[in-house]
């Protein structure tokens, strides 16, 4: 065999290998932009926050000193942080329950066939309105409503339900729940629409068969609607927990965490510590703790739901 | 000093300022100025101010960015962290200085002042160059007392004389309260740290013969005068003399109450007249004559200007600062805004002869008991320290803690932060 022929026979496997590699890599190349995007906007910031949480930053000298677990040790003694954890848990739990309750009830009503399509569409359009407002606009509207000289107090006092103005945002017993109410008002339409979508995807035949079998309205709701809606409820409540747990806007816009820290949430405390007090290391440690607590909470929640589904012999497809 | 002399001084300064400009700004330079004064002083006044400078220095253009006061600090933090200056000249409050100093925002203005024309330096009111960390980081543009302003018509209608001490003030608040009409004499903005700490605690305790900080700069608000001041406010609050909702009230909303006639009296700076007139041009606003309780001391503050250390046009920025801090501008702005600007000519001439119902009271506030005047100065970790004290004030008003207990706790935090800086 000549040298040229030997080279030619060697080139064939190399070419095949290259073609094979390109064929195998094509999929990776297609997803590469998305992966790079995720690395840049998610993985890098998260990793950076994690690294920062072990440091103390001197912003004037622009130096970063490794302090080990000092920032995490400081978390344990920080009563302000634990107060904000408590407020966040209450804010999140109350918001999620009310979102599901109000969104669910309204979705069930809008799903009723005895209402004409025109009435249902019109009502749905009106109910979605709060969702269209920005958080700043919502805060402004509710700030005026809650005001000692505002509409709510006018109604309460003129109807004799209150003898003096109710301090919705100035009384620490009411302030947090007043914020919950604004949050619920602002975002319940999203949950209502999602639940309505889920309700409309339940096969009508199931209800017809159950009616033939003599099931009443309550039984149909309990044995058909609820089990069929479980994946949707699981998905939206998980989304709600995650978004509400990191809530910041309304606190910053309406109460600044007061009065007497009664509305201070973890996200607001992170902002105070990291951005306002320029203590990035400690702020990052609180953020990491927040992610860990939230992740554990969501995992426990999902596990509880999944276990319940397994008990009923159903599968979760929504997540 | 008569008007022609004033003009001569101004012209001399204009020439003095113009000559060094020959060496700079041959090419067109744009300076970015971040400030919050447009709504307070009116856009026209600020435009006029900038136009005056651009006329003097045609090669330097001013790109003015006006943001609400409440958003200034975040903007300044962002700018300080930028490798190149987002803003060359910035409006500055003493309350932001320690935080921004940590970010290296400030150019040391000391050397710039030292090389400024002597006539210009001689016009600056002593103490208006504010130092922190061994540098001159801000120069007060205007200085002002915080005192009791009132709506002349509302007090006249109620037959109430402007209060000149605490007892008169309480009596006036009682006489002016009409809960059915939603009208009160006063509102306490205890939901905002600056107003809670200084308008209600510091000002009154200085009037009671105390000192907010001791001679070494340590917190002294746990003194009997500080405790007494808070007990007096607690009594006032419990008597329902303030608009409901004090614990969540910001000073911005308190100003809205005043401007719309919901309250007749407000503790504020001299600019309250301008703010109220933007809502109600016909409102007649005056400062109550200088108060005398145990003392006649007042709390003094002001707002200033600073230069960014990362500015690429420092010489031009300094020219702009010199212009803003010139007697010519001080006289113009004092007349336009009813706030005393920090030039001697303003104190010696403009205020002394003013018929403005707010400005005319200021000289007495400044001179009646100087030993008990408190000039605000940078406090380490402003937000942490002042939030702690605001929290203490809220706890006192809510009845959670006694005045002594709450103030003691807050003082411990202040002392800790002050000691940290001293150790550094």
């Amino acid at each position: 065999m000549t040298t040229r022929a030997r080279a030619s026979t060697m080139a064939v496997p190399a070419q095949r290998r290259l073609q094979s590699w390109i064929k195998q890599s094509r999929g990776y190349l297609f997803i590469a932009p998305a992966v790079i995007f995720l690395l840049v906007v998610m993985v890098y910031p998260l990793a950076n926050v994690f690294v920062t949480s072990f440091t103390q930053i001197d912003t004037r000298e622009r130096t970063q000193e490794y302090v080990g677990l000092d920032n995490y040790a400081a978390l344990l003694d920080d009563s302000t942080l634990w107060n904000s954890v408590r407020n966040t848990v209450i804010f999140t739990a109350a918001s999620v329950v009310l979102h599901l309750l109000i969104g669910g009830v309204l979705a069930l009503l809008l799903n009723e066939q005895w209402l004409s399509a025109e009435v249902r569409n019109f009502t749905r359009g009106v109910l979605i309105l709060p969702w269209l407002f920005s958080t700043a606009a919502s805060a402004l509207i509710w700030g005026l409503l809650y005001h000692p000289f505002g509409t709510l107090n006018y109604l309460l006092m003129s109807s004799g339900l209150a003898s003096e103005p109710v301090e919705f945002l100035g009384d620490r017993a009411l302030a947090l729940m007043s914020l919950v109410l604004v949050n619920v008002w602002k975002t319940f339409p999203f949950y209502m629409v999602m639940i309505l979508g889920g309700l409309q995807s339940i096969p009508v035949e199931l209800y017809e068969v159950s009616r033939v079998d003599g099931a009443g309205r309550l039984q149909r709701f309990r044995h058909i609607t609820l089990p069929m809606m479980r994946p949707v409820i699981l998905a939206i409540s998980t989304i709600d927990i995650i978004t509400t747990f990191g809530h910041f806007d309304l606190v910053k816009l309406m109460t600044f965490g007061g009065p007497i820290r009664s509305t201070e949430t973890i996200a607001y405390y992170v902002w105070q510590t990291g951005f306002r007090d320029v203590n990035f290391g400690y702020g990052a440690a609180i953020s990491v703790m927040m992610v860990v607590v939230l992740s554990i909470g969501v995992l426990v929640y999902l596990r509880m739901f999944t276990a319940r589904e397994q008990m009923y012999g159903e599968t979760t497809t929504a997540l | 000093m008569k008007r022609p002399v004033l003009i001569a001084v101004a012209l001399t300064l204009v020439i003095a300022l113009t000559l060094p400009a020959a060496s700079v700004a041959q090419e067109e330079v744009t300076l970015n100025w971040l400030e919050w004064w447009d709504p307070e002083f009116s856009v026209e006044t600020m435009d006029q101010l900038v136009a005056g400078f651009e006329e003097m220095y045609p090669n330097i253009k001013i790109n003015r960015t006006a943001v609400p006061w409440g958003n200034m600090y975040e903007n300044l933090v962002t700018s300080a962290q930028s490798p190149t200056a987002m803003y060359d000249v910035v409006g500055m409050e003493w309350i932001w200085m320690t935080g921004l100093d940590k970010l290296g925002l400030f150019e040391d203005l000391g050397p710039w002042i030292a090389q400024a024309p002597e006539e210009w330096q001689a016009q600056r009111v002593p103490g208006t160059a504010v130092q922190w960390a061994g540098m001159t980081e801000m120069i007060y543009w205007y200085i002002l007392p915080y005192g009791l302003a009132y709506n002349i018509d509302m007090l006249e209608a109620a037959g109430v004389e402007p209060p000149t001490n605490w007892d008169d003030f309480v009596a006036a608040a009682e006489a002016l309260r009409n809960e059915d009409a939603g009208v009160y004499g006063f509102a306490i903005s205890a939901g905002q740290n600056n107003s809670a700490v200084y308008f209600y605690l510091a000002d009154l305790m200085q009037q009671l013969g105390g000192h907010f900080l001791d001679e070494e700069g340590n917190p002294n608000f746990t003194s009997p005068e500080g405790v007494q001041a808070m007990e007096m406010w607690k009594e006032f609050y419990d008597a329902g003399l303030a608009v409901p909702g004090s614990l969540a009230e910001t000073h911005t909303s308190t100003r809205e109450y005043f401007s719309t006639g919901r309250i007749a009296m407000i503790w504020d700076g001299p600019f309250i007249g301008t703010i109220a007139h933007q809502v109600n041009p016909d409102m007649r606003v005056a400062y109550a004559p200088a108060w005398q309780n145990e003392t006649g001391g007042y709390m003094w503050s002001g707002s200033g200007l600073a230069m960014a250390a990362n500015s690429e046009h420092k010489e031009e920025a300094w020219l702009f600062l010199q212009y803003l801090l010139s007697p010519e501008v001080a006289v113009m702005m004092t007349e336009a805004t009813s706030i005393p600007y920090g030039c001697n000519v303003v104190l010696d001439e403009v205020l002394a002869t003013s018929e403005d119902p707010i400005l005319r009271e200021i000289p007495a506030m400044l001179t009646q008991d100087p030993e008990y005047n408190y000039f605000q100065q940078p406090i380490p970790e402003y937000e942490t320290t002042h939030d702690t004290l605001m929290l203490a004030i809220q706890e006192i008003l809510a009845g959670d803690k006694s005045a002594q207990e709450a103030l003691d706790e807050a003082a411990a935090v202040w002392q800790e932060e002050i000691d940290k800086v001293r150790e550094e």
Side-chain angles (χ1 to χ4, degrees):
Chain A
M1 196 181 278
T2 63
T3 312
R4 195 171 177 178
R6 207 179 298 127
S8 173
T9 49
M10 282 175 71
V12 171
Q15 201 174 350
R16 277 195 189 142
R17 273 204 303 276
L18 181 64
Q19 281 174 343
S20 166
W21 183 83
I22 290 172
K23 197 174 176 184
Q24 284 173 353
S25 313
R26 191 175 294 158
Y28 294 110
L29 288 171
F30 279 128
I31 63 164
V35 170
I36 292 167
F37 179 77
L38 285 176
L39 284 173
V40 170
V41 303
M42 288 190 72
V43 178
Y44 172 72
L46 275 174
N48 198 24
V49 167
F50 187 69
V51 171
T52 305
S53 71
F54 295 102
T55 64
Q56 188 72 45
I57 296 176
D58 185 331
T59 43
R60 188 211 291 265
E61 300 296 329
R62 296 182 190 269
T63 58
Q64 203 165 359
E65 184 194 351
Y66 176 73
V67 293
L69 292 170
D70 284 4
N71 288 328
Y72 288 96
L75 293 177
L76 300 174
D77 291 332
D78 189 346
S79 59
T80 308
L81 170 67
W82 296 111
N83 173 63
S84 68
V85 171
R86 175 187 157 276
N87 290 339
T88 306
V89 170
I90 294 171
F91 184 79
T92 305
S95 296
V96 172
V97 168
L98 289 173
H99 277 148
L100 291 180
L101 204 62
I102 295 172
V105 168
L106 290 171
L108 283 168
L109 285 173
L110 289 173
N111 196 41
E112 286 295 327
Q113 298 303 310
W114 47 266
L115 281 172
S116 71
E118 288 78 16
V119 171
R120 274 185 285 153
N121 289 339
F122 175 76
T123 314
R124 188 165 49 201
V126 170
L127 288 173
I128 281 173
L129 278 178
W131 195 20
L132 304 180
F133 284 99
S134 68
T135 309
S138 305
L140 187 66
I141 292 166
W142 281 89
L144 292 170
L145 286 172
Y146 281 151
H147 198 275
F149 302 132
T151 314
L152 278 179
N153 268 310
Y154 172 76
L155 292 172
L156 287 171
M157 290 176 73
S158 57
S159 63
L161 288 171
S163 57
E164 55 187 28
V166 177
E167 298 180 25
F168 289 101
L169 300 175
D171 183 341
R172 78 199 121 148
L174 295 176
L176 188 62
M177 291 317 288
S178 300
L179 289 190
V180 168
L181 190 58
V182 183
N183 186 38
V184 169
W185 176 84
K186 164 91 180 71
T187 43
F188 85 84
F190 171 75
Y191 302 98
M192 181 188 78
V193 169
M194 296 292 284
I195 294 171
L196 187 58
L199 287 172
Q200 288 173 348
S201 69
I202 299 174
V204 183
E205 294 80 8
L206 289 175
Y207 291 109
E208 288 170 354
V209 170
S210 65
R211 256 192 223 105
V212 172
D213 289 345
R217 183 178 285 268
L218 199 63
Q219 285 170 311
R220 287 201 298 276
F221 177 74
R222 191 178 159 200
H223 296 293
I224 298 174
T225 309
L226 268 186
M228 295 296 285
M229 286 299 293
R230 189 164 285 124
V232 175
I233 292 171
L234 177 63
I236 60 173
S237 55
T238 307
I239 292 169
D240 199 8
I241 290 169
I242 293 168
T243 51
T244 312
F245 201 82
H247 202 87
F248 169 79
D249 328 20
L250 285 175
V251 180
K252 175 83 165 77
L253 290 165
M254 296 186 78
T255 62
F256 306 102
I260 318 180
R261 298 197 194 286
S262 59
T263 58
E264 205 164 83
T265 57
I266 303 178
Y268 188 73
Y269 189 53
V270 168
W271 171 81
Q272 277 189 320
T273 308
F275 202 70
R276 194 198 66 180
D277 300 342
V278 204
N279 189 349
F280 294 119
Y282 190 56
I286 302 171
S287 302
V288 171
M289 185 215 71
M290 186 175 159
V291 170
V292 170
V293 168
L294 183 58
S295 304
I296 292 171
V298 169
L299 281 175
V300 169
Y301 178 73
L302 289 176
R303 180 60 65 90
M304 280 166 57
F305 235 98
T306 313
R308 200 172 163 77
E309 280 180 359
Q310 282 166 352
M311 201 167 75
Y312 281 96
E314 295 156 0
T315 53
T316 304
T317 52
L319 281 179
Chain B
M1 216 186 286
K2 302 289 181 200
R3 193 94 183 162
V5 182
L6 275 178
I7 294 167
V9 169
L11 283 174
T12 310
L13 278 164
V14 168
I15 293 164
L17 289 168
T18 311
L19 284 175
S23 61
V24 294
Q26 294 300 316
E27 294 173 11
E28 188 165 293
V29 166
T30 299
L31 292 177
N32 292 306
W33 181 23
L34 179 70
E35 50 91 6
W36 70 86
W37 290 293
D38 283 40
E40 290 179 21
F41 300 160
S42 86
V43 175
E44 292 75 23
T45 303
M46 298 302 286
D47 284 346
Q48 192 187 341
L49 189 66
V50 167
F53 178 76
E54 289 179 341
E55 197 176 320
M56 202 181 289
Y57 299 100
N59 290 336
I60 308 177
K61 299 292 170 209
I62 304 298
N63 178 26
R64 195 171 89 247
T65 304
V67 299
W69 186 91
N71 295 353
M72 273 295 291
Y73 186 70
E74 280 89 343
N75 274 277
L76 289 165
V77 168
T78 310
S79 177
Q81 289 175 314
S82 168
T84 54
M86 290 166 69
Y87 306 103
D88 303 281
V89 173
V90 293
M92 185 55 56
E93 297 278 28
W94 63 269
I95 58 173
W96 303 326
M97 284 177 61
T98 57
L100 293 169
D101 175 77
K102 285 204 280 186
L103 297 173
L105 174 79
F106 298 102
E107 169 76 6
D108 184 3
L109 296 175
W112 293 97
I113 294 172
Q115 67 179 40
E118 280 181 19
E119 299 87 342
W120 182 89
Q121 290 189 48
Q123 275 294 323
R124 299 302 310 156
V125 169
T128 50
V130 183
Q131 299 209 323
W132 178 252
M135 298 198 301
T136 300
E137 298 188 337
M138 171 183 106
I139 303 175
Y140 272 121
W141 197 20
Y142 49 83
I143 53 170
L144 47 93
Y146 281 92
L148 188 79
Y150 66 95
N151 180 323
I152 297 171
D153 294 324
M154 286 179 78
L155 261 68
E156 280 180 1
V160 174
E161 286 295 313
T164 56
N165 58 49
W166 178 263
D167 292 338
D168 288 354
F169 168 67
V170 174
E174 279 171 353
L176 289 159
R177 178 176 54 175
N178 180 353
E179 288 168 281
D180 294 337
V183 173
Y184 287 76
F186 196 74
I188 301 173
S189 48
Q192 193 169 330
N193 59 25
N194 188 45
S195 55
V197 170
Y198 291 105
F199 300 174
Y200 311 121
L201 172 60
D203 237 324
L204 187 54
M205 75 172 285
Q206 296 282 138
Q207 283 262 330
L208 293 172
H211 290 282
F212 187 69
L213 299 180
D214 68 16
E215 286 175 357
E216 279 85 42
N218 298 309
N220 195 37
F221 45 75
T222 54
S223 62
E225 294 83 7
V227 172
Q228 189 189 350
M230 281 322 303
E231 285 170 348
M232 288 161 77
W233 278 115
K234 164 78 173 151
E235 208 173 309
F236 185 89
Y237 174 77
D238 286 346
L241 294 176
V243 173
S246 299
L247 300 188
E249 207 75 81
T250 63
H251 202 60
T252 306
S253 55
T254 309
R255 283 175 176 158
E256 283 166 12
Y257 296 156
F258 185 73
S259 304
T260 53
R262 286 273 183 198
I263 58 171
M265 303 180 288
I266 186 169
W267 204 266
D268 213 330
F271 39 70
I272 185 60
T274 310
I275 292 171
H277 289 152
Q278 284 172 2
V279 177
N280 181 358
D282 299 328
M283 183 185 281
R284 294 191 300 148
V285 182
Y287 253 164
W291 273 30
Q292 273 284 351
N293 284 291
E294 299 300 319
T295 80
Y298 272 86
M299 191 200 67
W300 286 76
S301 185
S303 297
L305 298 157
M307 191 198 299
N310 55 359
S311 168
E312 291 176 343
H313 307 291
K314 288 183 184 174
E315 290 194 23
E316 290 82 1
W318 174 248
L319 284 178
F320 185 49
L321 280 176
Q322 254 185 280
Y323 165 78
L324 292 175
L325 296 162
S326 66
E328 181 194 35
V329 167
V331 171
M332 181 196 100
M333 291 298 286
T334 301
E335 287 173 348
T337 64
S338 293
I339 300 172
Y341 281 68
C343 276
N344 286 324
V345 66
V346 170
L347 295 174
D348 296 343
E349 297 292 323
V350 182
L351 294 191
T353 57
S354 176
E355 291 184 7
D356 183 294
I358 291 177
L359 285 183
R360 71 183 176 207
E361 304 297 342
I362 292 176
M365 294 175 176
L366 183 65
T367 57
Q368 68 176 359
D369 217 343
E371 192 194 336
Y372 289 95
N373 282 335
Y374 173 71
F375 285 84
Q376 289 181 322
Q377 49 192 288
I379 303 286
E381 299 297 338
Y382 170 81
E383 295 290 353
T384 307
T385 48
H386 288 71
D387 268 4
T388 306
L389 194 43
M390 177 185 73
L391 185 67
I393 291 168
Q394 290 183 349
E395 287 171 335
I396 294 165
L397 293 178
D400 284 3
K401 289 178 182 166
S402 71
Q404 186 74 62
E405 185 187 2
L407 293 175
D408 281 346
E409 285 177 12
V413 174
W414 279 53
Q415 193 66 60
E416 189 185 334
E417 295 297 344
I418 290 169
D419 289 345
K420 266 190 219 166
V421 173
R422 285 183 182 147
E423 282 166 17
E424 287 170 9

